[in-house]
């Protein structure tokens, strides 16, 4: 999915371009301008939230905010806020800021653990200031998110606490790997449900909650968000093999080189273990030393041509369609159509 364009209002422009999947929303004469205006408010408050009187902390905290981003989680919060009877107010904007702050904080931590050199086209914080500063900056941003959510009341604080717990558990389970006897694919799906699905689910949950929607609608947004988050990450897995660098912003095979057991590799291992000789031959290429560009390119090409890549796309699209099906009880509306369109757009990013 292409990055949305956003520019800080105080940078001389306040234009947001809604990302792919939200065309129906952008074309709506009422909701389109409302969403863009709300996103502008989120961006202003996001920058205010990371500002710090300490010059060094201010610089490190602003690093990823100023690098841009899709702002998908705030967008889902804002969109879900149109599912209830109440007009979107300050609590919706503030909760949208909370979910993006939480996401940003996890990125500081993830980049340290993954030893990632770049994020959003810029050097990662740990590359500039070291691991300790990057981790502490992530903690500082988590603290700001906690401060903001505490003002939103007990239900919001409970959502944030549960989400934070799942984010930590997801990272922990990814780090230690599957337990003895546990299916690696089931383990992986549980990890991404926690690491990615939980926060996207919370984003929709906040928006529905603060719009005065009924519990049935809130529950729908939780289920939808969880499944969209899983679909999004699974699509990223396949793009690592099939995507073009200039389109995806990521060098093909990055996950392979880092030894990350993503969906195509897990399916490849399953096929090889089942006696598929072709899969075993590809697995041998994938699991060898990939430090050279030539070895990496050969492994990527072999995996890309393997049937498991199409199988991986099918799995990702299955989760996307489950997310769309979760929306079925909602009455037909532009908001419902936009949510369904977005769920399908996250798995249509082959290049």
């Amino acid at each position: 999915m292409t990055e949305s364009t956003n520019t800080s209002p105080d940078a001389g422009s306040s234009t947001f371009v809604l990302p792919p999947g939200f065309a129906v929303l952008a074309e709506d004469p009422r909701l389109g301008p409302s969403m863009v205006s709300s996103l502008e408010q989120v961006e202003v408050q996001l920058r205010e939230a990371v500002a710090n009187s300490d010059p060094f902390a201010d610089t490190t905290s602003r690093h990823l905010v100023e690098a841009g981003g899709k702002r998908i989680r705030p967008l889902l919060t804002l969109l879900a806020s149109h599912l209830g009877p109440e007009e979107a107010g300050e609590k919706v904007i503030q909760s949208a800021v909370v979910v993006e702050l939480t996401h940003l904080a996890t990125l500081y931590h993830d980049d340290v653990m993954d030893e990632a050199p770049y994020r959003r086209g810029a050097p990662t914080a740990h590359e500039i200031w070291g691991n300790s500063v990057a981790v502490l900056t992530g903690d500082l941003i988590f603290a700001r998110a906690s401060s903001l959510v505490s003002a939103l009341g007990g239900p919001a604080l409970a959502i944030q606490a549960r989400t934070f717990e799942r984010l930590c558990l997801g990272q922990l389970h990814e780090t230690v790997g599957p337990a003895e006897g546990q299916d690696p694919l089931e383990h992986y799906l549980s990890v991404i449900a926690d690491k990615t699905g939980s926060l996207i689910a919370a984003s929709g949950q906040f928006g529905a909650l603060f719009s005065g929607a009924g519990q049935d609608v809130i529950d729908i947004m939780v289920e939808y968000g969880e499944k969209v988050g899983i679909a999004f990450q699974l699509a990223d897995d396949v793009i690592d093999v099939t995507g073009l660098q200039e389109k995806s912003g990521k060098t093909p095979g990055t996950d392979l080189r880092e030894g990350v057991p993503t969906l195509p590799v897990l399916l490849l291992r399953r096929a090889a273990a089942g006696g598929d000789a072709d899969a075993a031959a590809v697995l041998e290429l994938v699991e060898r030393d990939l430090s050279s560009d030539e070895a990496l390119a050969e492994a990527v090409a072999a995996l890309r041509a393997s049937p498991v890549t199409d199988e991986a796309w099918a799995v990702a699209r299955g989760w996307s369609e489950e997310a769309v099906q979760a929306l079925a009880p909602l009455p037909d509306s532009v908001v419902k159509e936009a949510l369904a369109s977005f769920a399908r757009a996250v798995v249509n990013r082959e290049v």
Side-chain angles (χ1 to χ4, degrees):
M1 185 169 55
T2 306
E3 290 273 348
S4 61
T5 300
N6 59 53
T7 308
S8 170
D10 57 14
S13 173
S14 58
T15 300
F16 276 77
V17 177
L18 295 175
F22 289 103
V24 63
L25 193 62
E27 293 165 2
D28 187 274
R30 182 183 69 86
L31 275 179
S34 172
M35 291 292 292
V36 169
S37 175
S38 295
L39 281 169
E40 291 167 357
Q41 294 178 58
V42 169
E43 193 70 16
V44 170
Q45 292 192 24
L46 183 63
R47 290 166 185 266
E48 290 175 351
V50 298
N52 199 295
S53 59
D54 180 280
F56 184 66
D58 185 71
T59 298
T60 61
S61 297
R62 288 180 179 276
H63 181 64
L64 280 182
V65 171
E66 294 179 348
K70 303 179 185 72
R71 307 294 191 248
I72 289 298
R73 291 154 191 82
L75 181 54
L76 288 177
T77 300
L78 297 172
L79 190 55
S81 74
H82 290 276
L83 292 172
E86 299 176 12
E87 287 291 326
E90 182 54 34
K91 284 191 173 183
V92 170
I93 300 296
Q94 193 161 321
S95 62
V97 173
V98 166
V99 294
E100 186 65 10
L101 284 174
T102 304
H103 175 56
L104 289 170
T106 65
L107 296 183
Y108 279 87
H109 290 175
D110 286 352
D111 288 341
V112 170
M113 299 194 72
D114 297 340
E115 299 181 349
Y118 294 99
R119 168 73 67 176
R120 297 175 176 173
T124 49
H126 74 90
E127 286 285 324
I128 301 173
W129 297 291
N131 288 350
S132 295
V133 169
V135 170
L136 290 169
T137 300
D139 292 345
L140 181 59
I141 294 174
F142 269 130
R144 291 295 173 88
S146 299
S147 178
L148 287 176
V149 80
S150 69
L152 294 175
L157 191 56
I159 292 169
Q160 180 72 355
R162 287 194 300 270
T163 303
F164 190 26
E165 179 183 24
R166 289 188 63 192
L167 290 169
C168 294
L169 283 172
Q171 186 62 65
L172 177 63
H173 292 154
E174 181 180 62
T175 301
V176 302
E180 185 177 353
Q182 184 179 14
D183 179 73
L185 182 54
E186 290 182 5
H187 170 266
Y188 181 64
L189 290 173
S190 72
V191 165
I192 63 175
D194 286 339
K195 285 191 61 178
T196 305
S198 65
L199 187 55
I200 293 180
S203 301
Q205 188 175 10
F206 276 133
L209 173 68
F210 290 124
S211 72
Q215 189 60 49
D216 57 336
V217 175
I218 294 173
D219 291 343
I220 287 170
M221 287 310 301
V222 170
E223 181 181 359
Y224 166 85
E226 184 105 1
K227 291 178 175 177
V228 163
I230 293 172
F232 188 97
Q233 184 58 56
L234 294 179
D236 267 5
D237 287 359
V238 192
I239 289 171
D240 182 61
V241 177
T242 64
L244 301 177
Q245 183 174 5
E246 60 268 25
K247 294 288 187 178
S248 68
K250 185 177 181 182
T251 303
T254 297
D255 290 337
L256 292 182
R257 174 172 276 169
E258 294 174 354
V260 178
T262 55
L263 180 62
V265 174
L266 291 171
L267 293 174
L268 186 67
R269 288 175 180 168
R270 175 180 286 183
D276 187 326
D278 291 336
V282 176
L283 185 61
E284 185 176 344
L285 293 175
V286 166
E287 294 190 333
R288 66 179 176 171
D289 181 4
L290 299 179
S291 56
S292 75
D293 291 342
E294 293 78 13
L296 180 63
E298 186 178 7
V300 167
L303 186 54
R304 183 183 293 155
S306 171
V308 300
T309 296
D310 288 338
E311 184 182 350
W313 271 128
V315 172
R317 291 187 175 117
W319 281 97
S320 169
E321 286 306 312
E322 285 191 29
V324 174
Q325 291 166 18
L327 300 171
L330 295 178
D332 291 340
S333 66
V334 173
V335 172
K336 179 180 178 179
E337 188 178 351
L339 289 168
S341 179
F342 172 67
R344 293 183 172 120
V346 302
V347 293
N348 285 302
R349 301 178 287 146
E350 289 94 334
V351 294

